[in-house]
């Protein structure tokens, strides 16, 4: 099929139930002045109106409206994917899909040479060699400013520049907050589901696959060495040694590894699954994504998956499976 | 959106190879799914609205006016307005000029003729909405919209209705102005069903490596080596055949064989696109019925 053109679907007329908590901008929520007014509301002549389209949330005496759609608002500790849009004085400006651009200070990144290195003027001058406009990175929100904009940091080995994959943006509302936002998926592919809705699907790095066995081997070795009694200082401090080993210039490299056609195919399959879930407005987490992937394998060739009806039916299948198996 | 170096090389490597895989896993000759409706603006002779999954929307209206002229090329006026761009920006002016020239060169002016002296003059107004917010600092250009705009123009022209001519046409030399019926129920199609004439379409294809990509998406545009726009009218390749800059990043020259391949691809995809557009024209539009 070369092209499909369809008539846009009309909004379905639904029966508005009495007491439905869905409100539209400008709709009167209450004329009782005792309510405290939270986000998404405004107050005019002792009456509270909604300023966004969403559902009404009442907590004790606090009245707020949770919008259906909207820009991401960062919170401390969120794992994000962002794109550098500007290089400035000792800081990068990062697009995170929020109301404000986030900042990443030169002081909050790992520089080649390890954690104990001091930042010098030459680092300031060569900031573009680390991260330049357009570069994608994953980071954590370190703190928030009073206007709601975020300050990021990448001071961990799991954060940093992104390579070997594709970028997908979905609405941030759909990402289910979880303990962990980076996952290794079946098919030798990993994903970072940024809380801001920006996702990165990439080839699972070799070290991460080998990591598991290596770390168990190491603990065994440590155990045996501990048993034999010759303990060396700094033996248990794996992270610092690894950081020093790995934070060479490689962490800021722009070169992709060699990627086989099958890995690329799997990546684009996952991308389509992610977009299917997003098209059907299903909250996205690792389990659902893997289920969508398994379902999509049943549809055969990857290049059928960009079709709208296929995406719709993948989404429906995920929901149906979840109902059958339970959410677990 | 500016892509990172790693993304660019990933996309380029996927596209340029022998077995190219596009980022959205389409085949090289496939379009993204489009949405379209026509005749939804009540005060125009014909109108259409087409939008693609990037969210870019193209609203086209056709209005007709009776004028006395001999100059056939005056009969079609095209005006493209892109959201966030000044009216006299290079993008708007060159899109308008390209569409206008392409339409004038491939138009059957017989359908606009009333008498020897009087003709319908068509004003085709095109409005492009929901241009991505990051367009200003990205390296893609919006010339790929030519394809979307020409589909919108096709639908608007094909759905255009004109009032029924009541004055006599027997004597084509007559001086007085033609007169029309007041009743819109009697309106006739601008392009009658029995006429073989079809408005022309413009396709934009991207060239990368030894591959020809139909309907390049915005992230693909940033890595393409060059782009071509190719006209298609009633089964034939027509002017314009020219290269368009799909991105401001450095392009490359392309092989002559690739041009032949691109022309063949357009010949192949032309008919299915026309059929898909015709099926939209044949769907009853009840845009207001559902609300009132």
């Amino acid at each position: 099929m070369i092209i499909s053109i369809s008539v846009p679907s009309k909004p379905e007329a639904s029966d508005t139930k009495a007491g439905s908590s869905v409100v539209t901008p400008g709709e009167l929520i209450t004329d009782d002045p005792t309510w405290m007014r939270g986000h998404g509301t405004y107050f005019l002549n002792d009456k509270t109106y909604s300023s966004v389209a969403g559902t009404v949330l009442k907590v004790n005496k606090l009245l707020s409206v949770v919008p259906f759609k909207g820009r991401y608002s960062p919170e401390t500790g969120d794992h994000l994917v962002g794109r550098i849009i500007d290089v400035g004085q000792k800081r990068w400006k990062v697009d995170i899909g929020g109301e404000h651009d986030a900042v990443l200070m030169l002081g909050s990144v790992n520089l080649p040479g390890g954690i104990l290195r001091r930042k010098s003027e030459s680092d300031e001058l060569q900031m573009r060699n680390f991260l330049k406009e357009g570069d994608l990175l994953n980071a954590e929100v370190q703190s928030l400013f009073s206007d709601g904009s975020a300050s990021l940091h990448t001071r961990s080995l799991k954060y940093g520049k992104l390579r070997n994959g594709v970028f997908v943006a979905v609405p941030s509302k759909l990402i289910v907050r979880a303990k962990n936002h980076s996952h290794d998926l079946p098919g030798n592919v990993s994903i970072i589901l940024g809380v801001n809705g920006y996702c990165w699907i990439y080839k699972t790095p070799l070290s991460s696959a080998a990591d598991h066995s290596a770390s168990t081997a190491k603990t065994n070795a440590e155990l045996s060495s501990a048993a034999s009694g010759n303990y060396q200082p700094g033996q248990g401090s794996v992270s610092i040694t690894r950081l020093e080993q790995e934070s060479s210039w490689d962490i800021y490299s722009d070169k992709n590894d060699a990627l086989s056609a099958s890995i690329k195919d799997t990546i684009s399959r996952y991308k389509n699954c992610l977009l299917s879930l997003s098209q059907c407005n299903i909250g996205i987490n690792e389990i659902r994504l893997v289920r969508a992937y398994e379902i999509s394998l049943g549809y055969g060739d990857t290049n059928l998956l960009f079709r709208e009806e296929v995406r719709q039916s993948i989404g429906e299948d995920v929901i149906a499976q979840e109902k059958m198996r339970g959410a677990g | 959106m500016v892509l990172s170096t790693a993304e660019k090389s990933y996309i380029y490597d996927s596209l340029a190879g022998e077995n190219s895989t596009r980022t959205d896993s389409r085949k090289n000759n496939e379009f993204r799914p489009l949405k379209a409706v026509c005749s939804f603006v009540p005060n125009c002779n014909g109108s259409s609205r087409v939008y693609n999954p990037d969210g870019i929307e193209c609203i086209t209206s056709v209005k007709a006016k009776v004028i006395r002229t001999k100059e056939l090329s005056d009969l079609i006026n095209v005006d493209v307005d892109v959201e966030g761009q000044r009216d006299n920006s290079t993008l708007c002016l060159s899109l308008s000029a390209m569409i206008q020239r392409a339409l004038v060169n491939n138009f059957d002016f017989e359908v606009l003729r009333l008498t020897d002296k009087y003709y319908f003059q068509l004003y085709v107004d095109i409005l492009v909405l929901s241009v991505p917010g990051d367009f200003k600092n990205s390296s893609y250009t919006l010339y790929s919209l030519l394809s979307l705009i020409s589909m919108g123009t096709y639908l608007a022209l094909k759905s255009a209705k004109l009032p029924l001519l009541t004055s006599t046409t027997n004597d084509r030399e007559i001086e007085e102005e033609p007169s029309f019926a007041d009743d819109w129920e009697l309106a006739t199609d601008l392009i009658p069903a029995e006429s073989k004439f079809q408005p022309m379409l413009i396709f934009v294809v991207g060239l990368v490596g030894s591959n020809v990509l139909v309907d390049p998406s915005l992230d693909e545009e940033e890595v393409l080596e060059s782009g071509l726009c190719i006209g298609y009218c009633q089964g034939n390749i027509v002017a314009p055949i020219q290269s368009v800059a799909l991105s401001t990043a450095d392009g490359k020259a392309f092989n002559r064989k690739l041009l032949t391949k691109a022309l063949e691809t357009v010949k192949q995809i032309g008919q299915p696109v026309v059929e898909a557009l015709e099926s939209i024209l044949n769907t009853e539009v009840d845009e207001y019925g559902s609300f009132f």
Side-chain angles (χ1 to χ4, degrees):
Chain A
M1 189 164 67
I2 295 221
I3 189 169
S4 89
I5 308 180
S6 55
V7 177
S9 52
K10 294 191 189 93
E12 284 163 36
S14 60
D15 330 318
T16 39
K17 291 178 215 109
S20 156
S21 59
V22 175
V23 289
T24 51
E27 194 174 326
L28 177 70
I29 305 174
T30 175
D31 48 7
D32 181 359
T34 57
W35 286 97
M36 281 165 63
R37 295 167 302 280
H39 289 294
T41 63
Y42 64 93
F43 192 64
L44 213 70
N45 303 332
D46 281 353
K47 288 174 180 145
T48 307
Y49 298 89
S50 167
S51 60
V52 291
T55 49
V56 176
L57 180 72
K58 292 172 178 170
V59 182
N60 293 326
K61 270 293 179 190
L62 178 68
L63 188 76
S64 48
V65 181
V66 183
F68 290 131
K69 238 182 175 178
R71 288 186 167 262
Y72 162 72
S73 57
E75 282 170 37
T76 306
D78 282 352
H79 186 175
L80 309 179
V81 172
R83 197 187 284 278
I84 305 283
I85 51 171
D86 198 14
V87 183
Q89 277 286 325
K90 290 192 194 175
R91 72 193 66 201
W92 289 275
K93 223 196 228 173
V94 187
D95 167 37
I96 53 167
E99 279 170 44
H100 306 276
D101 293 323
V103 291
L104 176 67
M105 300 294 292
L106 179 60
S108 25
V109 299
N110 284 326
L111 293 181
I115 200 163
L116 298 172
R117 193 159 90 67
R118 287 185 59 161
K119 264 94 200 166
S120 60
E121 262 177 44
S122 73
D123 288 328
E124 253 175 72
L125 291 173
Q126 55 175 343
M127 276 173 69
R128 234 183 221 101
N129 294 347
F130 305 130
L131 292 164
K132 58 185 170 299
E133 289 90 346
D135 280 353
L136 283 166
L137 73 157
N138 65 342
E140 191 181 278
V141 179
Q142 185 167 38
S143 59
L144 294 178
F145 296 110
S146 55
D147 62 348
S149 62
S151 167
L152 309 177
H153 81 91
T154 61
R155 279 210 170 273
S156 161
L157 282 174
K158 61 178 179 179
Y159 302 135
K161 204 172 196 172
L162 297 171
R163 267 190 303 276
N164 298 333
V166 296
F167 173 78
V168 190
V170 297
S172 64
K173 291 271 156 196
L174 292 181
I175 302 289
V176 180
R177 278 169 194 272
K179 239 186 209 167
N180 189 7
H181 280 272
S182 49
H183 308 282
D184 291 343
L185 305 171
N188 212 7
V189 164
S190 299
I191 189 167
I192 298 168
L193 293 167
V195 185
N196 57 344
Y198 288 2
C199 304
W200 182 251
I201 310 174
Y202 60 109
K203 182 186 150 196
T204 307
L206 283 173
S207 58
S208 147
D211 205 24
H212 208 67
S213 50
S215 66
T216 42
K218 195 176 272 172
T219 36
N220 287 341
E222 271 169 27
L223 278 176
S224 59
S225 69
S228 60
N230 36 10
Y231 171 81
Q232 279 159 354
Q235 198 177 47
S237 54
V238 185
S239 61
I240 288 183
T241 24
R242 256 190 72 202
L243 181 65
E244 274 166 1
Q245 273 164 12
E246 292 186 17
S247 48
S248 59
W249 275 98
D250 287 0
I251 57 172
Y252 292 110
S253 148
D254 281 328
K255 260 186 106 64
N256 287 327
D257 303 346
L259 299 165
S260 66
S262 70
I263 282 283
K264 284 187 171 176
D265 189 65
T266 319
I267 288 178
S268 77
R269 190 178 281 275
Y270 272 112
K271 178 178 175 179
N272 280 305
C273 292
L274 203 58
L275 291 172
S276 308
L277 293 175
S278 145
Q279 187 188 311
C280 302
N281 266 317
I282 301 172
I284 295 165
N285 58 17
E286 187 200 0
I287 299 168
R288 283 186 184 148
L289 188 59
V290 172
R291 281 197 190 150
Y293 173 73
E294 282 162 0
I295 291 165
S296 83
L297 289 173
Y299 284 88
D301 221 19
T302 321
N303 58 32
L304 297 172
L305 298 178
F306 79 91
R307 292 188 192 163
E308 235 165 50
E309 62 274 14
V310 174
R311 287 188 178 172
Q312 190 73 33
S313 86
I314 288 179
E316 281 160 11
D317 286 358
V318 169
I319 293 286
Q321 264 199 21
E322 202 152 288
K323 276 184 186 149
M324 233 157 55
R325 291 200 208 174
Chain B
M1 165 177 57
V2 187
L3 297 180
S4 72
T5 322
E7 275 179 290
K8 265 190 193 159
S9 69
Y10 181 97
I11 299 175
Y12 181 83
D13 291 345
S14 325
L15 293 180
E18 193 74 0
N19 302 313
S20 62
T21 45
R22 300 177 73 167
T23 44
D24 45 7
S25 69
R26 272 180 293 158
K27 287 188 192 133
N28 285 351
N29 64 351
E30 277 180 320
F31 281 80
R32 287 166 291 176
L34 291 173
K35 302 255 183 217
V37 274
C38 49
S39 15
F40 74 104
V41 185
N43 57 356
C44 294
N45 292 83
S47 59
S48 74
R49 173 172 173 228
V50 189
Y51 50 103
N52 72 8
D54 286 332
I56 300 181
E57 185 174 333
C58 171
I59 295 178
T60 311
S61 79
V62 172
K63 285 193 174 192
K65 164 179 147 183
V66 176
I67 62 157
R68 191 183 160 153
T69 185
K70 288 249 183 236
E71 193 53 62
L72 291 183
S73 59
D74 287 350
L75 292 181
I76 299 178
N77 289 289
V78 179
D79 184 44
V80 178
D81 197 359
V82 180
E83 184 197 17
Q85 300 281 313
R86 291 218 314 259
D87 285 356
N88 58 357
S89 65
T90 335
L91 178 71
C92 291
L93 291 179
S94 57
L95 284 177
S96 313
M98 279 179 89
I99 298 276
Q100 175 157 344
R101 213 175 322 131
L103 280 176
V104 167
N105 287 341
N106 303 292
F107 209 83
D108 178 10
F109 288 102
E110 212 41 48
V111 298
L112 297 178
R113 179 201 191 84
L114 291 164
T115 67
D116 273 357
K117 295 202 170 65
Y118 288 97
Y119 283 88
F120 275 119
Q121 185 178 29
L122 295 183
Y123 286 88
V124 181
D125 294 301
I126 298 159
L127 184 61
V128 177
L129 294 177
S130 314
V131 171
D134 53 7
F135 169 61
K136 263 181 270 148
N137 43 20
S138 322
S139 67
Y140 57 81
T141 64
L142 289 176
Y143 286 101
S144 57
L145 285 178
L146 272 174
S147 166
L148 196 71
I149 291 174
S150 82
M151 287 189 204
T153 313
Y154 182 98
L155 287 175
L157 285 172
K158 285 285 264 187
S159 67
K161 298 229 180 261
L162 295 173
L164 183 70
L165 185 69
T166 50
S167 59
T168 168
T169 52
N170 295 342
D171 182 9
R172 293 206 136 175
E173 291 290 321
I174 45 169
E175 273 299 319
E176 75 254 49
E177 285 190 23
S179 56
F180 299 95
D182 289 339
D183 193 355
W184 270 104
E185 298 283 311
L186 299 172
T188 54
D189 287 333
L190 166 66
I191 300 168
E194 65 273 10
S195 161
K196 270 196 192 142
F197 165 68
Q198 284 175 337
M200 61 101 57
L201 287 165
I202 298 179
F203 292 105
V204 173
V205 296
L207 307 179
V208 59
S210 58
N211 295 318
V212 177
L213 306 180
V214 170
D215 186 27
S217 63
L218 293 182
D219 50 356
E220 284 168 346
E221 275 179 37
E222 298 199 32
V223 303
L224 290 178
E225 285 165 356
S226 42
L228 282 177
C229 77
I230 297 170
Y232 174 90
C233 189
Q234 301 166 63
N236 297 312
I237 302 290
V238 293
I241 303 173
Q242 66 179 76
S243 69
V244 285
L246 293 181
S247 85
T248 51
D250 40 26
K252 269 190 201 165
F254 58 87
N255 193 327
R256 206 185 314 154
K257 281 183 194 141
L258 215 49
L259 179 63
T260 338
K261 195 172 170 185
L263 294 178
E264 268 165 29
T265 316
V266 169
K267 252 191 171 168
Q268 251 172 41
I269 60 173
Q271 195 51 35
V273 172
V274 168
E275 278 162 22
L277 289 170
E278 289 295 326
S279 77
I280 288 292
L281 285 165
N282 296 333
T283 4
E284 267 310 298
V285 191
D286 192 20
E287 185 90 343
Y288 303 103
S290 57
F291 293 111
F292 300 115

